[in-house]
Amino acid sequence: SDEDQTVPPEFFDKLNHEMTYLLGPVAGIVMNDVLDVMRKDKNNFEKKYLASLVDMLTCQIDDPIKQIDFQKSIYKAVKSYLF
């Protein structure tokens, strides 16, 4: 079904939480900008684009240490949502 191909909304909550922790209040804006660039909507976001999304969000984080922390925590979440 289509639902199997899309990311559950809870994943974006987790993503937003992590981004807010690293970037502060601009996190939501950054996330929306990245989704705009990708021409995607978080309410209908296909799993096959997740890696691109995570990469693009990672690029928005200036600190390389924080980038690694972000990727670790997000890929943990990605695994739990995808498998």
Side-chain angles (χ1 to χ4, degrees):
S1 77
D2 283 352
E3 252 174 40
D4 295 338
Q5 304 304 315
T6 57
V7 178
E10 306 86 61
F11 179 77
F12 280 95
D13 294 341
K14 164 83 175 156
L15 204 50
N16 202 39
H17 179 78
E18 292 296 330
M19 291 295 287
T20 302
Y21 176 70
L22 293 166
L23 295 177
V26 298
I29 298 165
V30 169
M31 177 106 74
N32 288 336
D33 285 350
V34 167
L35 286 166
D36 283 349
V37 167
M38 294 180 74
R39 295 199 171 97
K40 299 289 168 215
D41 175 359
K42 64 181 171 191
N43 298 316
N44 188 19
F45 193 91
E46 292 150 282
K47 290 176 179 176
K48 62 183 170 185
Y49 299 115
L50 264 179
S52 306
L53 176 66
V54 173
D55 284 346
M56 287 178 78
L57 289 172
T58 303
C59 293
Q60 305 300 316
I61 301 166
D62 293 334
D63 181 334
I65 308 285
K66 285 182 177 176
Q67 286 184 344
I68 293 166
D69 289 345
F70 173 70
Q71 288 206 331
K72 272 189 198 151
S73 65
I74 289 307
Y75 277 117
K76 207 177 284 175
V78 166
K79 280 192 190 123
S80 68
Y81 285 109
L82 295 190
F83 306 112

